[in-house]
Amino acid sequence: DMSGLPQMVGVNPMPGVMAPTAMPGVTVVMAPVGVLLQTPAQPAQPEPVTKRQLDMSEVLAAIESLYQDQLRPCGRILRKRLSERARARRRKVGGPAFQQLKAACQACPLVIVQDEAGGDWCALLRFRSPTFVDVHDPADVYPPQLWFEVEATFSGPPGSEAALPGGRYACAQVLKSWALPFLAGRSLGQICHIVQLAISDKKILGYSNGKIVPYARSLNRAKEACAQSRQPFAEGPEDGQTVASWPSLRKCLEDVLEQSREDGRCGVPLADFKRLIRATYNLDVSETALGYAKLSELLQDPRVRDICTIELTPQGYTLVPLKRRSKAPALRLSDHLWGEEREQTAPRAGGPTALQTRAARLGALDLDD
């Protein structure tokens, strides 16, 4: 049916003959089966990485590249690596969805998927020996000279003015791109570990406004100074609020964790704890006023660590109540067995009954067991 087509000029009804139409860029082709509208070929566009397209050979190559970097291929890092490789090949970077990538890895016979803490997962190659660097390992396996060079780099220009990406992985990539002599030959996994130790142990680097910066310019150093003088950090409590003391902090912890248990929740997200205490009790939980630079360290103090612990859950770091052992007296099953035996059968003269002998072998039964 050609009634919907615009008026054509000089159309030859012979099959295979082309004629222009009133529609710009569209040509009519008379074919044996009817009329075909043909548009000119469009220039090739970069192929985006979409949810419909997931090349498993590229996923395997990305996993292998993380093995070479000595980085454990957890889902979030693998997704970043896929985007990096797509960008290097001048492809549009959309990246596969997190769960779609996991499902593809689970379906691949060459990959073993293991669930990790915090809702993440890891894609391991079935026939490849892992040689990953544990970036969270507190052990310092590097020579003193390396730390001397790291500190010197960030103590003077231009390193003293640096503001590196806030993520450990991205920060390590930038440092590797600087081609620093003391990092020559180090894998990306090792550099990630060095960054972690420089922040958590060596106090060479710290955080400020979401960036990794030299420790002298970091929020960490400012909070350490407040903690040493037992002063609230920044402006201090708002009008009408008081700074929490150890007794009030302990009471608040017990209350909010008990409430979370009654609500059927596993605990209280660490990121929400201060806000929750402010809103509920009009108290300012200042870790620096209590002598700590980090809230996580404050909550491990002996005065409160019997109440809760910090665990990594799919919702992030969470305050989880500790299970307390019951203070009720232990029950001995043997006492009850002996009582029933005494009511039913008098003991034989000269020795215990068979039931009493068996009961003596039973230990105390704790209500928590």
Side-chain angles (χ1 to χ4, degrees):
D1 181 9
M2 298 176 61
S3 59
L5 293 176
Q7 182 65 38
M8 296 177 288
V9 180
V11 175
N12 190 322
M14 294 295 292
V17 176
M18 303 172 60
T21 73
M23 293 184 291
V26 177
T27 303
V28 172
V29 180
M30 304 304 297
V33 294
V35 179
L36 302 178
L37 295 179
Q38 191 175 69
T39 58
Q42 298 296 321
Q45 297 294 327
E47 182 183 1
V49 180
T50 67
K51 292 184 179 180
R52 296 193 184 95
Q53 300 171 336
L54 190 57
D55 184 354
M56 201 58 210
S57 64
E58 177 59 22
V59 174
L60 291 172
I63 296 174
E64 173 61 29
S65 71
L66 291 173
Y67 268 75
Q68 294 173 5
D69 284 338
Q70 294 187 298
L71 282 169
R72 188 172 177 83
C74 61
R76 58 185 179 80
I77 296 295
L78 176 57
R79 194 166 182 266
K80 287 181 182 179
R81 181 57 58 91
L82 283 167
S83 295
E84 292 165 3
R85 291 171 63 88
R87 192 177 297 111
R89 294 164 59 187
R90 299 181 180 277
R91 299 177 68 188
K92 287 185 178 178
V93 181
F98 191 68
Q99 292 303 323
Q100 181 208 10
L101 178 58
K102 181 180 182 181
C105 291
Q106 288 173 324
C108 179
L110 299 176
V111 177
I112 302 171
V113 175
Q114 295 179 350
D115 288 329
E116 305 264 293
D120 205 348
W121 49 272
C122 183
L124 302 174
L125 296 178
R126 189 176 295 276
F127 304 108
R128 184 82 151 79
S129 298
T131 57
F132 308 132
V133 175
D134 182 1
V135 297
H136 299 289
D137 188 353
D140 179 7
V141 296
Y142 306 100
Q145 181 63 27
L146 180 139
W147 294 116
F148 176 82
E149 296 287 349
V150 173
E151 189 163 13
T153 298
F154 291 101
S155 297
S160 60
E161 301 301 319
L164 300 165
R168 186 175 44 235
Y169 173 80
C171 178
Q173 287 181 312
V174 171
L175 291 179
K176 192 174 181 67
S177 71
W178 286 2
L180 299 168
F182 55 87
L183 294 180
R186 299 282 180 188
S187 68
L188 190 62
Q190 289 176 316
I191 300 176
C192 284
H193 189 210
I194 290 169
V195 170
Q196 176 65 25
L197 290 175
I199 295 170
S200 63
D201 182 56
K202 305 297 182 180
K203 295 185 178 180
I204 299 174
L205 298 174
Y207 289 99
S208 180
N209 297 322
K211 298 288 187 180
I212 294 177
V213 300
Y215 184 76
R217 293 169 39 219
S218 70
L219 194 68
N220 309 61
R221 182 184 181 185
K223 294 187 74 173
E224 286 279 0
C226 288
Q228 290 175 3
S229 59
R230 299 292 197 275
Q231 295 295 321
F233 182 67
E235 294 83 7
E238 297 177 1
D239 292 340
Q241 287 185 344
T242 57
V243 177
S245 62
W246 284 110
S248 60
L249 174 62
R250 183 178 178 88
K251 181 65 168 62
C252 291
L253 271 172
E254 291 175 332
D255 289 349
V256 298
L257 291 173
E258 180 60 30
Q259 186 62 50
S260 74
R261 191 178 359 238
E262 292 176 0
D263 294 343
R265 294 178 283 119
C266 66
V268 177
L270 186 60
D272 295 340
F273 176 68
K274 285 187 173 185
R275 178 190 55 78
L276 181 62
I277 299 302
R278 259 195 313 268
T280 308
Y281 303 98
N282 202 31
L283 284 174
D284 176 36
V285 178
S286 171
E287 60 270 32
T288 57
L290 293 172
Y292 286 93
K294 296 180 181 178
L295 180 61
S296 58
E297 294 176 352
L298 170 75
L299 296 171
Q300 296 174 49
D301 185 276
R303 284 165 280 198
V304 293
R305 69 184 178 195
D306 63 313
I307 301 174
C308 63
T309 186
I310 299 174
E311 294 182 0
L312 183 58
T313 69
Q315 290 72 42
Y317 286 101
T318 303
L319 284 174
V320 178
L322 286 176
K323 179 182 176 183
R324 295 190 181 182
R325 297 188 64 82
S326 171
K327 295 182 180 179
L331 299 178
R332 289 188 63 87
L333 186 59
S334 59
D335 295 339
H336 293 266
L337 293 173
W338 166 239
E340 294 176 3
E341 171 72 6
R342 183 167 50 195
E343 292 177 2
Q344 298 174 8
T345 307
R348 295 194 303 267
T353 65
L355 184 58
Q356 185 180 358
T357 302
R358 292 197 301 273
R361 303 191 190 108
L362 297 174
L365 179 64
D366 195 299
L367 289 177
D368 288 334
D369 292 338

